[in-house]
Amino acid sequence: DLRNEGIYVYTNSIKGLGGYPSGIAGKGLVMMSGGIDSPVASFLAIKKGVLVSAIHFASPPYTSDMALQKVIDLLEQLSIYQTTQNIRLYVVPFTEVQTLIHEKANPIYMVTLMRRAMYKIATMVANDRGYECLINGESIGQVASQTLESIKVVNEVTNIPIIRPVATFDKEEIIEVARKINTYDISIKPYEDCCTVFVPK
């Protein structure tokens, strides 16, 4: 590289992260479960320039403080990719909603109703706090609640964009990214989130 002040000789190239500068694409609210998928979805959104905050649904006493701590640990790991060096976390007490659905609803629709409630609440927070989209770790067909039919039904309760960065990824592809960004070992800690309680038989 010939410059006025001298000549530079490059012997090696180191590939950077790629994507866009942090925050250039606006603000998004990640639905953070504490599993493997949502942190990877968060990272991929950050990589595309979205400044992310997170919303987590907690159901004490059915979910523990350690489940919440796992989410905090994941966000601390992800925060190194944002120029702000921190990620705001909204914790929603969800026990009363889940209990009501469990008591009143047909068990067949329990997970669908729970997810619709989550989307409604996340939409309210997003609209109130100026987030331009919701982001989640849904992967098409990975579980019964993530079939296209189910995604469509759940989506009907919100009118803001839902970004699903890992929608077409296989689980192994998601795990590969999780290992690369050092969230995998945190995600597999054995603390249940609210998505794994009150599931139908």
Side-chain angles (χ1 to χ4, degrees):
D1 187 6
L2 302 175
R3 300 289 184 97
N4 288 335
E5 70 277 13
I7 300 170
Y8 297 91
V9 178
Y10 297 93
T11 60
N12 189 22
S13 295
I14 300 171
K15 186 172 171 56
L17 184 63
Y20 299 138
S22 179
I24 200 171
K27 297 197 306 179
L29 184 63
V30 177
M31 300 173 77
M32 180 66 69
S33 69
I36 297 169
D37 304 339
S38 51
V40 171
S42 304
F43 166 75
L44 294 173
I46 292 168
K47 186 179 172 185
K48 292 298 285 185
V50 179
L51 198 65
V52 304
S53 294
I55 185 168
H56 175 71
F57 296 87
S59 295
Y62 304 105
T63 58
S64 68
D65 289 342
M66 293 306 296
L68 178 57
Q69 185 60 51
K70 180 165 79 163
V71 169
I72 293 168
D73 292 344
L74 285 166
L75 295 178
E76 285 181 350
Q77 178 60 32
L78 289 166
S79 70
I80 65 174
Y81 300 106
Q82 286 203 159
T83 53
T84 57
Q85 293 293 295
N86 58 37
I87 298 175
R88 183 183 298 273
L89 172 62
Y90 302 94
V91 180
V92 177
F94 201 58
T95 311
E96 193 174 336
V97 175
Q98 277 194 292
T99 303
L100 197 61
I101 291 170
H102 180 66
E103 290 173 355
K104 304 289 186 182
N106 184 327
I108 293 170
Y109 303 119
M110 210 153 48
V111 174
T112 301
L113 291 170
M114 179 186 74
R115 287 163 57 77
R116 281 170 66 100
M118 288 177 170
Y119 270 64
K120 284 182 180 180
I121 294 166
T123 299
M124 289 180 204
V125 173
N127 287 334
D128 183 60
R129 300 299 172 97
Y131 298 102
E132 291 145 315
C133 67
L134 297 179
I135 300 158
N136 66 38
E138 290 175 339
S139 176
I140 296 169
Q142 185 167 269
V143 290
S145 62
Q146 293 175 16
T147 61
L148 288 179
E149 183 180 34
S150 180
I151 288 171
K152 179 178 182 292
V153 169
V154 171
N155 231 87
E156 287 171 350
V157 300
T158 185
N159 59 0
I160 66 174
I162 311 294
I163 309 300
R164 297 177 172 91
V166 299
T168 61
F169 284 32
D170 292 332
K171 193 68 177 186
E172 286 304 316
E173 292 173 306
I174 296 170
I175 289 172
E176 184 181 343
V177 178
R179 290 187 190 280
K180 177 178 148 188
I181 62 174
N182 295 319
T183 58
Y184 180 76
D185 288 339
I186 303 170
S187 291
I188 62 172
K189 288 180 180 177
Y191 307 117
E192 290 190 318
D193 59 44
C194 70
C195 296
T196 55
V197 297
F198 293 133
V199 292
K201 293 178 183 177

